[in-house]
Amino acid sequence: MIRFWRVFVQAVVFEAPGKINIKDIPEPQAGKEDILVKVKAAGLCGTDLHVYKGDFIASYPIVPGHEFSGEIISAGADVEGFKPGDRVCVDPCVYCGKCDFCKSDRENFCRDFRAYGLHFNGGFEELVSVSYRNAYQIGSLSFEEGSMIEPLSCVIHGIKRIGLRAGDEVLIFGCGPIGLMLMQVCKKSGASRVIMADVSRKKLETAERLGAGATLLNNNSFEAGLKKLFPFGADVVIDATGIPQVVQNMSAHVKDAGKLLFFGVCPPDSRISINPYEVYKRELTIYGTFSLLHDFPSAIKLLQSGSIDVRSLASHQFSLSEFMQGFNLMLEHGDFLKILIKP
Ligand SMILES: [Zn+2]
Ligand SMILES: [Zn+2]
């Protein structure tokens, strides 16, 4: 269709690190392999905070938002399997397909790794253009659930990394949306018991509602409470706080021959001290996990089967114009779970 006037859409724009504008930008143009998606729900995430601060790979100016779902408005001539009206979510990761990592099934380390919301405009705008190769049908899932498929995929990737075994006992620090998804995926993957720790009583209550084996408030009696639950430590200890002091203390709570998963994103320049003798003597294994790797189909199936509840994780909703209210909640570390932006 040829239009003789320019159409504008409302968007959140990170002009440069530390500089946010909510303004009208030209409607995105869709190429032959692209679909134009009317964004219905987009999740705010810690990564957006890092992009705002300028301490994460991204190019500016950028429309952030890498966790989103919506309805297809139009599809390019070469798009296969999608049509206007389809409800979709989007895997934000764009890989080159040519480098050594891409050719050895480790695309998350692609040497030319780029993503919607980091290098290409993402979900905090009314309309977004994405390659159909990054889209997935969500069927009858709600758009809110659709927007949480990306973080759930990252969680699944992390759990695949550690090779959780049937019967494993797991301790998770942090009851934010990621911690609560990790808890549910661990249970679905065969963990016999998942214990959740946090400093917020309210978040622990949500963990209980979602099936935590037990919850522990991280206060003075925390160590004693944990000793009672795990006299010899847990098989797996996961950090979902990104707080270096918490990460440093993880090995005190893991069983000999146990596994530690560093999931939370610590500040890039943070340091912790680890006793290498202890890692040797106790045969501890430390895992990192970055982004996701072809985990969207598993995440969608888990949600469609009703095995995982992400609906309870959406604590706040804001329109695009109200974006700063949601963003300030994150900046001030307020009491929230998932904050959704609904353009
Ligand atoms: Zn995210
Ligand atoms: Zn590559």
Side-chain angles (χ1 to χ4, degrees), residues 229-294:
L229 286 166
F230 291 124
F232 304 106
D235 298 292
V236 174
V237 179
I238 302 176
D239 173 66
T241 69
I243 300 170
Q245 299 94 300
V246 174
V247 177
Q248 170 149 321
N249 216 16
M250 287 166 75
S251 65
H253 306 297
V254 73
K255 223 179 239 180
D256 288 352
K259 299 168 180 175
L260 307 174
L261 175 63
F262 293 5
F263 197 106
V265 182
C266 288
D269 55 353
S270 57
R271 293 281 181 276
I272 58 169
S273 78
I274 287 177
N275 178 345
Y277 179 82
E278 194 188 5
V279 175
Y280 144 74
K281 181 67 175 55
R282 301 181 56 207
E283 277 197 7
L284 302 182
T285 310
I286 299 172
Y287 292 89
T289 178
F290 175 68
S291 185
L292 55 101
L293 188 60
H294 311 309

Side-chain angles (χ1 to χ4, degrees), residues 43-48 66-67 150-151 154 338:
L44 258 171
C45 150
T47 302
D48 299 311
H66 55 277
E67 309 176 355
E150 194 273 349
C154 296
K338 199 69 185 169

Side-chain angles (χ1 to χ4, degrees), residues 95-99 101-102 110-112:
Y95 310 121
C96 79
K98 293 179 277 194
C99 72
F101 283 115
C102 281
C110 172
R111 295 187 187 277
D112 193 19

Side-chain angles (χ1 to χ4, degrees), residues 89-148:
C89 64
V90 175
D91 179 346
C93 304
V94 179
Y95 310 121
C96 79
K98 293 179 277 194
C99 72
D100 50 341
F101 283 115
C102 281
K103 291 196 165 174
S104 53
D105 294 327
R106 292 312 308 263
E107 286 95 329
N108 54 336
F109 293 104
C110 172
R111 295 187 187 277
D112 193 19
F113 178 88
R114 286 178 292 168
Y116 292 102
L118 295 176
H119 310 89
F120 309 112
N121 284 346
F124 297 143
E125 62 177 325
E126 289 173 87
L127 281 179
V128 62
S129 168
V130 299
S131 166
Y132 82 93
R133 295 172 196 277
N134 287 64
Y136 290 84
Q137 302 277 5
I138 60 169
S140 59
L141 290 178
S142 69
F143 288 118
E144 291 78 8
E145 290 172 300
S147 71
M148 285 188 261

